[in-house]
Amino acid sequence: MRATGCFFFLFLIFFSSFSSYFSLPPSNAEASFIAPRQLFTLLRDGDLPDNYVSTLNLNISFPNPRLKGPYIALQAWKEAIYSDPFNTTKNWVGPDVCSYNGVFCAPALDDPNVNVVAGIDLNNADISGHFPSELGLLTDLALFHVNSNRFCGILPKSFSNLKLLFELDVSNNRLVGPFPECVLSICSLRYLDLRYNNFEGELPDKVFEKDFDAIFLNNNRFMSTIPETLGSSKASVIVFANNNFTGCIPSSIGKMSSTLNEIVFSNNFLTGCLPPEIGMLANLTVFDIENNLFTGPLPKALAGLETVEELAIARNNLTGFVVEELCSLISLKNFSFSHNYFNGEAEACEPRKRGDIDIDDSNNCLPDKTNQKSDKQCKAVVSRPVDCSKSKCAKSSSSPNLKPQTPREQPIEPESPEKRSPPPPPPLVESPPPPLSSPPPPSPPLVQSPSPPSRSLQPPSDPYPAAPPISENDVVILPPTIGFQYASPPPPIFPGY
Ligand SMILES: *[C@@H]1O[C@H](CO)[C@@H](O)[C@H](O)[C@H]1NC(C)=O
Ligand SMILES: *[C@@H]1O[C@H](CO)[C@@H](O)[C@H](O)[C@H]1NC(C)=O
Ligand SMILES: *[C@@H]1O[C@H](CO)[C@@H](O)[C@H](O)[C@H]1NC(C)=O
Ligand SMILES: *[C@@H]1O[C@H](CO)[C@@H](O)[C@H](O)[C@H]1NC(C)=O
Ligand SMILES: *[C@@H]1O[C@H](CO)[C@@H](O)[C@H](O)[C@H]1NC(C)=O
């Protein structure tokens, strides 16, 4: 069902092009569609040639010349839309692009007397279609929000022309292809939200070398190791969940101690021992590695997670003793270490003794407790402790280029993949997941501080606080604060606007 829309849509594109060429002479309207269609079919990566000339009739007068490019872009986009159930783009007609639904203008950064297209917000419009490369003509754009639509195809290479882009949210669509490298050449980009699409393949090293403040990669089809460059990131939130990542957590993770607030690795195929460097993350509030293949004992250094509220390590093959230092961490609210092979826990870790926090120790190898694994299951793992000092994962790795692990680094037991529960299936578009809503009301500029993010990964069925839709009478000053997905105070607004 999910693919049908896209196939049908592409079919229409080809059909209309061919019929225009080979049967009747094209009408003016049809003729004006051919060029963009060809552009789409010829330049598969969505690049926009420098000498691009629109075939639209541009004998119209624009409020100012800087709205001409956006006009071409938005008309090409409208043509690339196959279904628009709420008629969102119905008023995308004529030269006054600032009045189009979902299009927001603001005084240009370099000339306050000129209004330019500074933001696009089509969140939750349920539109199906694709992104034409002409979107690269929206060169004054600071914000591009299209979450919860049905856009398919790729993110065109021409997005690298959007030099002022600050927030890119394409979450919960049907985008495909490798990680969209074009976003890596946008220097101003801070918020990158690709979650709930079908991006696949490897993560480029450069993702963690950009100044992104939030990186959402969850619920795609990424399949690679996590680049050793991870530690170079200045992001406050990074979410890897629900992909097919393999290999270790790079020990460079400790380098993010002054900025990292949440990191979520859940539902992947990560292996090895946990690097002690995790314990250096003194500002972390969420550390989630649930449902992976981690082995070995918990590093003592984990007690350094002084501000951690949510510690989720359930459903791995972890062993050893859960120490008091961990269970008595001062900010801890939720600590699940169930479905592992722990064979001892400090008194402070017993669920009944800690009414103030939620601890789950079930399905381990804890002696004299109920809800534990059988002796037989436990013996197989507990009797063969993993020596993490011999694990490449837990040691500082100097190799920048993590390749799939050699067998030596693999945990003692051979894996039995059939016993693992696979990552949850991608959400149905009918029940859209977390990504969210429209911009919040404008707020005064805030001091520059790393954003205090919220839980970024919710199951699709979870309620998520949605901002009220923009009513036509609202005066919207753009761009709004970034981080509208965050429940806590938003990070800084786009400098300049
Ligand atoms: C442009 O439009 C104006 C008025 O709408 C018309 O007089 C003029 O001939 C047009 N020019 C071209 C080149 O089509
Ligand atoms: C969209 O427009 C069409 C045709 O004008 C109309 O039939 C339909 O009810 C409109 N849909 C919505 C959600 O307004
Ligand atoms: C991070 O933690 C360090 C030490 O705990 C502290 O000095 C610093 O201010 C914190 N940074 C932020 C952004 O919270
Ligand atoms: C985890 O434990 C299970 C059950 O003993 C075992 O089959 C599997 O191979 C182990 N996986 C790893 C990565 O150690
Ligand atoms: C990811 O892993 C799941 C579960 O093993 C598998 O079904 C799926 O095909 C994998 N995805 C990719 C892109 O390889």
Side-chain angles (χ1 to χ4, degrees), residues 148-167:
S148 301
N149 283 282
R150 292 170 287 153
F151 288 108
C152 56
I154 61 167
L155 197 65
K157 196 175 169 190
S158 63
F159 266 65
S160 58
N161 296 352
L162 310 183
K163 298 294 181 209
L164 300 179
L165 197 62
F166 195 63
E167 291 186 14

Side-chain angles (χ1 to χ4, degrees), residues 194-246:
L194 304 179
R195 62 189 139 162
Y196 293 96
N197 277 291
N198 292 314
F199 291 113
E200 62 197 12
E202 298 194 9
L203 278 191
D205 291 358
K206 266 181 85 180
V207 187
F208 302 111
E209 294 171 336
K210 308 299 296 181
D211 283 340
F212 297 150
D213 180 51
I215 305 174
F216 292 97
L217 304 169
N218 54 291
N219 300 78
N220 278 288
R221 300 174 175 212
F222 290 117
M223 194 165 57
S224 68
T225 55
I226 293 176
E228 188 63 33
T229 51
L230 175 66
S232 307
S233 177
K234 297 178 189 71
S236 56
V237 197
I238 305 180
V239 184
F240 295 100
N242 298 304
N243 281 287
N244 286 13
F245 288 111
T246 54

Side-chain angles (χ1 to χ4, degrees), residues 171-190:
S171 60
N172 198 28
N173 279 285
R174 296 167 180 184
L175 299 176
V176 298
F179 181 93
E181 302 258 351
C182 56
V183 305
L184 300 176
S185 53
I186 307 175
C187 296
S188 55
L189 196 63
R190 293 292 174 274

Side-chain angles (χ1 to χ4, degrees), residues 97-98 100-106 116-121 439 470 476 478:
V97 294
C98 296
Y100 291 11
N101 292 335
V103 176
F104 301 93
C105 293
V116 294
V117 175
I120 302 260
D121 184 300
I470 303 173
V476 178
L478 268 189

